[in-house]
């Protein structure tokens, strides 16, 4: 039995889905087909992705393998301390929780953005 895989899509990964990125599409397929694969779309990153590529938010929110993460109080406090809401909410969503003691991996097409941050990344750059 394998361990669950938790992946947070940052705003760049979300826009990559709409641009036909094969790696991002495979993640979505696996999250829909595999019981232990989980994809998360933080709301702030979803908004930023939709600003970059209109229609992204509606498209991703309709996919069955993706869970949209709300901006609750703890997330809002974390976001308030960062420069950009999209990256801050993605990083907060990747932190360990009781359900995800090892945290989550951030899927991105901009790996340099995460260079000095304490996160694990999955580079979706083709």
């Amino acid at each position: 039995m394998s361990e669950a895989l938790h992946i947070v899509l940052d705003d760049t990964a979300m826009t990559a889905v709409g641009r036909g990125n094969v790696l991002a599409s495979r993640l979505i397929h696996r999250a829909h087909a595999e019981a232990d694969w989980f994809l998360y779309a933080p709301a702030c990153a979803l908004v930023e992705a939709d600003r970059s590529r209109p229609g992204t938010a509606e498209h991703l929110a309709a996919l069955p393998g993706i869970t949209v993460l709300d901006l609750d109080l703890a997330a809002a406090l974390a976001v308030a301390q960062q420069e950009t809401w999209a990256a801050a909410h993605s990083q907060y969503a990747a932190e360990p929780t009781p359900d995800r003691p090892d945290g989550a991996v951030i899927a991105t097409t901009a790996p340099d953005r995460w260079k000095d941050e304490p996160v694990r990344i999955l580079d979706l750059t083709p």
Side-chain angles (χ1 to χ4, degrees), residues 12 15 48-49 53 55 66 83 85-86 93 97 101 103 108 111 113 121-122:
T12 68
T15 56
E48 191 60 35
R53 186 171 176 79
I66 296 179
E83 194 169 315
W85 287 30
T97 66
T108 185
R113 169 196 281 179
I121 64 162
L122 176 61

Side-chain angles (χ1 to χ4, degrees), residues 50-113:
D50 201 68
R51 286 181 179 163
S52 297
R53 186 171 176 79
T56 299
E58 189 174 0
H59 173 71
L60 287 173
L63 295 173
I66 296 179
T67 301
V68 176
L69 300 176
D70 294 331
L71 186 65
D72 60 11
L73 178 58
L77 294 174
V79 165
Q81 297 175 13
Q82 299 291 329
E83 194 169 315
T84 67
W85 287 30
H89 199 189
S90 297
Q91 184 172 342
Y92 173 80
E95 291 177 357
T97 66
D99 294 339
R100 293 175 281 142
D102 294 328
V105 176
I106 296 179
T108 185
T109 60
D112 290 341
R113 169 196 281 179

Side-chain angles (χ1 to χ4, degrees), residues 22-33:
V22 174
L23 299 173
S25 295
R26 286 181 185 164
L27 281 180
I28 292 168
H29 172 74
R30 293 292 297 264
H32 179 67

